[in-house]
Amino acid sequence: MISYARQDPKEQLDVTSPPLDDHIAPAPRVSVQAFCETMETAAAVQSAGEDRRLGKAHLKIQMGGMAAAIEAYRTAPTPNVIILETEGRSDILVGLDQLATVCDAGTRVIVIGRINDVALYRELVRRGVSDYVIAPVNTLGVVRSICGLFSAPEAKAVGRIIAIVGAKGGVGASTIAHNVAWAIARDLALDSVVADLDLAFGTAGLDYNQDPPQGIADAVFSPDRIDTAFIDRLLSKCTDHLSLLAAPATLERVYDFGDDAFDSIFDTLRTTMPCIVLDVPHQWSGWTRRALVGADDILIVAAPDLANLRNTKNIFDLLKASRPNDRTPLYCLNQVGVPKRPEINAGEFAKAIEGQPIATIPFDPQVFGLAANNGQMIAEISANHRTTEMFLQIAQRLTGRGETKKPRGSFLSPLIDKLRAK
Ligand SMILES: Nc1ncnc2c1ncn2[C@@H]1O[C@H](COP(=O)(O)OP(=O)(O)OP(=O)(O)O)[C@@H](O)[C@H]1O
Ligand SMILES: [Mg+2]
């Protein structure tokens, strides 16, 4: 039997500018076989297969539509997902009835068709079709349809990964990651976790004034134990909405990991945490590249010099090429205005990167130094500091959310409100 449908037919989306709240959770390791009728659909399915969100799925594409599918599964077992392109109306239903006789339990069927009609859609649902997508389909439409089969509808807000990385060492990427995550948790009231991926030298524990006995190393060195309960025990609570998956910051071990060493940690975090901020160390290895490529959004932190400019451009180019269906990465400038230091200004950066920085954060050694040494955030040291507002704006930009809490206002606010009401 084909499993039961639960989705509405969807509109096609513009691939070039997906809206911020249009989050698609990656699909698990599933097998997908597509039987297309047109080259356009085959091309869309092909490029969907190359999307990061289907990185774990195994995709096979054939031409021949419904007839080829029925023929293929007469002898072979069916995969987790079958995608069928079909042009007519009656042949869909007849074909599906035939297919149902050869389909294994648990196989889900996505139909791509040209007819936009509720009656047809109902018939498809009755036959257990999981999703009906109206042609012409685009890459993201196919990605969304496949991934949608495996993400629970109530998990819609769950699991956005934001990766923050420096274009060079020491540019303040971790400081920005911690302050932004703190703002996401406090001002946007979004449950968040900071995963400190700088296992040897990470400073998240210091910055949040936490010294937990356990953290990310316990997970990455015991991959067999990873599940939600296990990861939950490794988190240390920093504030109401903010938790930390701390780095050990010890040197007894070395931290050479395989490309996918962190996959199951991220997948597990995604199931329970709406926002996961990765503090990615400035290094280029299989697993750091994978963490960046696999993130929902990326912020590159750069200081205003030539090496940072070159590296930002290189990271940008690489990420744009490996994530053709995603928003482009964002970047911000940090430590701007060091006395007597010649700097490359934001305009020149914007020209080379072909995009504006989302923030230009001033160099302020007094406040940043105090915050680092006290284990506090900038907003705790100085609520009115101009970077406090910048961190909030970055938080909003990265999460696609506006502020939820009202500004605290002065002690006169209630009075002013009363007067206004009158
Ligand atoms: N805007 C700023 N003004 C002054 N000091 C800053 C600013 N941003 C960060 N710093 C300081 O710069 C130092 C390096 O910051 P941080 O550790 O966040 O950088 P990083 O890019 O994560 O470095 P690493 O490459 O070691 O991971 C810290 O002492 C931090 O307090
Ligand atoms: Mg760092």
Side-chain angles (χ1 to χ4, degrees):
M1 260 303 287
I2 302 169
S3 51
Y4 206 74
R6 51 173 234 333
Q7 293 190 326
D8 293 327
K10 298 186 182 73
E11 290 164 24
Q12 297 304 302
L13 253 127
D14 176 9
V15 191
T16 51
S17 58
L20 259 179
D21 60 353
D22 184 40
H23 177 244
I24 305 172
R29 268 169 228 289
V30 288
S31 50
V32 182
Q33 282 181 20
F35 295 86
C36 303
E37 287 194 334
T38 63
M39 288 318 290
E40 295 73 51
T41 300
V45 176
Q46 172 79 38
S47 73
E50 287 155 16
D51 187 271
R52 66 184 170 87
R53 283 155 288 217
L54 293 180
K56 289 192 194 127
H58 300 279
L59 176 71
K60 218 172 112 187
I61 303 169
Q62 277 170 251
M63 299 307 286
M66 184 73 82
I70 294 166
E71 187 52 39
Y73 298 128
R74 253 190 247 290
T75 47
T78 49
N80 301 108
V81 181
I82 302 173
I83 301 177
L84 292 167
E85 184 183 19
T86 167
E87 307 231 50
R89 173 191 288 264
S90 56
D91 59 318
I92 305 182
L93 301 177
V94 174
L96 281 173
D97 289 340
Q98 282 186 34
L99 191 65
T101 63
V102 293
C103 231
D104 302 316
T107 291
R108 306 190 198 197
V109 174
I110 296 169
V111 174
I112 299 174
R114 301 206 167 258
I115 301 159
N116 190 353
D117 172 44
V118 175
L120 173 65
Y121 178 66
R122 289 221 182 93
E123 282 300 314
L124 294 175
V125 167
R126 249 170 30 85
R127 283 167 171 78
V129 166
S130 294
D131 197 10
Y132 180 62
V133 189
I134 295 168
V137 292
N138 62 22
T139 306
L140 219 49
V142 177
V143 172
R144 180 178 301 103
S145 180
I146 298 172
C147 293
L149 301 178
F150 302 98
S151 66
E154 67 274 13
K156 205 172 176 307
V158 163
R160 182 191 287 271
I161 293 188
I162 296 168
I164 301 186
V165 69
K168 234 177 101 176
V171 294
S174 297
T175 306
I176 289 174
H178 307 158
N179 279 279
V180 168
W182 195 86
I184 292 172
R186 189 190 70 158
D187 300 316
L188 310 182
L190 204 58
D191 277 321
S192 309
V193 61
V194 170
D196 191 341
L197 300 184
D198 188 350
L199 275 84
F201 303 114
T203 51
L206 296 178
D207 284 358
Y208 292 128
N209 199 16
Q210 299 275 327
D211 188 16
Q214 287 183 306
I216 197 159
D218 299 273
V220 75
F221 287 113
S222 0
D224 304 336
R225 297 178 61 194
I226 294 173
D227 59 21
T228 313
F230 181 63
I231 296 282
D232 261 2
R233 282 201 297 278
L234 303 180
L235 298 179
S236 52
K237 204 166 161 64
C238 301
T239 67
D240 245 8
H241 292 288
L242 183 67
S243 304
L244 168 64
L245 192 52
T250 53
L251 303 179
E252 290 82 46
R253 282 192 281 212
V254 289
Y255 304 102
D256 302 324
F257 301 117
D259 286 14
D260 52 7
F262 290 90
D263 281 15
S264 53
I265 300 177
F266 298 160
D267 288 345
T268 308
L269 284 173
R270 266 187 209 273
T271 62
T272 55
M273 278 287 175
C275 180
I276 300 132
V277 176
L278 305 182
D279 177 355
V280 183
H282 175 75
Q283 65 184 58
W284 197 240
S285 59
W287 67 268
T288 51
R289 183 181 57 192
R290 192 172 169 91
L292 294 174
V293 170
D296 292 292
D297 281 286
I298 301 151
L299 177 68
I300 302 165
V301 178
D305 68 25
L306 187 59
N308 273 281
L309 177 60
R310 180 201 63 185
N311 296 354
T312 304
K313 174 97 179 107
N314 286 346
I315 300 172
F316 243 75
D317 290 347
L318 179 114
L319 291 177
K320 278 207 291 208
S322 17
R323 300 158 50 92
N325 311 309
D326 284 273
R327 282 184 290 281
T328 49
L330 302 169
Y331 76 101
C332 71
L333 296 175
N334 187 32
Q335 302 176 345
V336 172
V338 174
K340 297 198 174 155
R341 180 175 74 172
E343 293 182 350
I344 296 177
N345 66 36
E348 289 169 288
F349 248 84
K351 215 158 52 190
I353 308 293
E354 293 169 37
Q356 295 291 333
I358 60 163
T360 298
I361 300 170
F363 177 69
D364 186 341
Q366 197 174 6
V367 171
F368 280 79
L370 192 63
N373 286 344
N374 285 2
Q376 285 181 299
M377 296 295 107
I378 302 297
E380 292 176 294
I381 298 272
S382 166
N384 297 325
H385 196 263
R386 53 190 163 144
T387 58
T388 298
E389 184 59 30
M390 289 181 179
F391 289 133
L392 174 57
Q393 281 166 2
I394 298 174
Q396 289 169 327
R397 189 70 191 268
L398 286 171
T399 56
R401 295 200 177 207
E403 197 175 0
T404 56
K405 276 194 178 173
K406 289 203 173 72
R408 260 146 295 205
S410 78
F411 69 98
L412 285 175
S413 304
L415 187 63
I416 295 170
D417 288 346
K418 253 189 203 163
L419 289 173
R420 277 221 188 97
K422 274 184 186 160

